[in-house]
Amino acid sequence: MLAASTQSISAELRHRFESAKRVLVLTGAGVSAESGVPTFRGGGNSAMWKGVPFDVISSATMVERDLQAVWEWFDYRRNLLAELQPNAAHFEIARWQNQFEQCTVVTQNVDGLHQKAGARDVIELHGSIWRARCISCNARYEIQLDKRRSELCIACGDRLRPDVVLFGEILPPGAFEVAAERASECEVCFVIGTSGIVYPAAGLPEIAKSAGAYLCEVNPELTPLSGLCDAVLTGKAGEVLPLLK
Ligand code: BJW
């Protein structure tokens, strides 16, 4: 498959990009791949932790069955993230927020790299690896790398769990609703580095498209959303996004 080049950016995409006032950017694990963060799927492989598929360990059932194992998986990933930096794609998206009147960044990622690159008001559909949440009262706590992570809730004494959205769990209150509203208002919607199979996030491009937005996918592979998109830029986000300048 041919990678995107300045030539593959059509005149229409360039025009839409230059004239848009409201843009929505939906990102997935692929946007962080060039920072060294492993994706969940893609290339025909599925992430594993100690021989357990990620969709088993990242599940509500596992929180009930073996919270300790879930913490180990997230502690491992958080420690990995501590060494990693945002890449050109994160920085480009953060820059877009100064370029457009409204540029909403909606991410499925829990890594915090958009914010580290300077993006503001990021809608984190699947929570954050940098927070813990009480399993009873939902009180939330920041997790700092240099401090020992607390195991119990200060407010009610019950156990804490990672503040991320696992399979079968509902999204943070209001997050999808705000994202869906922005999707229905945007003129251009970018779909970057997501396999587009996890809902409700994967429904956002459909909302944008039915409200008349121009859809552009950036991904080295085709996805179930590719057919819906007006432009498909085949390549790595960190290489493709700077071509839009
Ligand atoms: C590059 C690149 C480079 C590589 N540049 N690109 C409707 C239909 C069917 C099922 C459902 C439905 N609605 C809801 C469901 C159930 C379920 C679901 O969607 N299942 C599907 C798998 C079928 N959804 C849920 O359970 C959600 N909850 C919910 O809907 O609540 C209401 C409800 C409750 C109960 C019953 C019914 C409804 C919650 C979903 C939570 C997902 N959680 C995870 C784990 C988070 C914690 C953790 O980090 O471990 O979120 S799963 C995992 O997948 C993670 C990701 O955010 C998410 C999406 O993955 P993503 O980001 O797309 O990554 P990959 O790895 O899949 O793809 C990477 C892509 O990057 C690839 O395409 C590469 O090619 C590309 N790439 N390098 C650009 N350099």
Side-chain angles (χ1 to χ4, degrees):
M1 200 171 282
L2 285 177
S5 65
T6 34
Q7 285 78 23
S8 58
I9 294 175
S10 67
E12 176 159 26
L13 171 56
R14 204 163 276 291
H15 168 70
R16 299 266 187 169
F17 185 71
E18 281 165 6
S19 59
K21 288 193 170 64
R22 291 177 304 278
V23 170
L24 182 119
V25 183
L26 171 68
T27 66
V31 82
S32 296
E34 288 154 88
S35 292
V37 183
T39 60
F40 298 93
R41 313 168 187 86
N45 296 315
S46 188
M48 304 273 276
W49 166 246
K50 295 187 173 174
V52 185
F54 82 90
D55 50 348
V56 174
I57 190 101
S58 278
S59 70
T61 313
M62 194 57 111
V63 168
E64 283 167 23
R65 215 181 271 164
D66 193 349
L67 182 55
Q68 187 55 37
V70 176
W71 268 121
E72 276 181 35
W73 156 239
F74 283 96
D75 286 345
Y76 161 76
R77 287 167 55 194
R78 199 177 324 98
N79 287 331
L80 184 76
L81 273 167
E83 310 293 324
L84 304 180
Q85 296 304 324
N87 64 58
H90 297 108
F91 286 114
E92 203 55 20
I93 293 166
R95 201 184 58 75
W96 290 356
Q97 288 194 312
N98 299 325
Q99 174 174 336
F100 299 106
E101 225 170 85
Q102 183 186 82
C103 176
T104 307
V105 180
V106 182
T107 190
Q108 298 166 82
N109 299 345
V110 299
D111 57 30
L113 288 175
H114 281 299
Q115 293 90 331
K116 208 169 174 181
R120 301 179 301 271
D121 304 323
V122 177
I123 300 177
E124 294 179 310
L125 292 178
H126 296 162
S128 170
I129 202 165
W130 299 101
R131 279 192 312 265
R133 181 175 94 227
C134 175
I135 59 168
S136 291
C137 74
N138 280 331
R140 289 178 163 80
Y141 301 90
E142 298 295 322
I143 302 178
Q144 284 160 8
L145 270 175
D146 51 351
K147 290 203 183 135
R148 194 166 169 274
R149 169 175 66 69
S150 25
E151 312 231 324
L152 299 176
C153 176
I154 298 166
C156 77
D158 210 341
R159 289 173 305 157
L160 298 179
R161 54 160 286 175
D163 190 18
V164 295
V165 182
L166 306 170
F167 277 118
E169 294 184 331
I170 51 165
L171 274 56
F176 184 75
E177 290 72 9
V178 175
E181 194 183 314
R182 298 289 172 82
S184 68
E185 292 166 357
C186 72
E187 294 147 69
V188 178
C189 171
F190 284 93
V191 185
I192 304 172
T194 177
S195 55
I197 61 167
V198 175
Y199 279 81
L204 289 170
E206 295 167 35
I207 294 173
K209 179 82 179 184
S210 25
Y214 184 88
L215 254 55
C216 175
E217 179 174 66
V218 180
N219 198 311
E221 295 178 19
L222 292 176
T223 75
L225 296 174
S226 306
L228 189 71
C229 291
D230 300 287
V232 175
L233 301 180
T234 305
K236 295 180 176 178
E239 294 171 6
V240 171
L241 298 192
L243 300 175
L244 283 162
K245 265 198 189 108

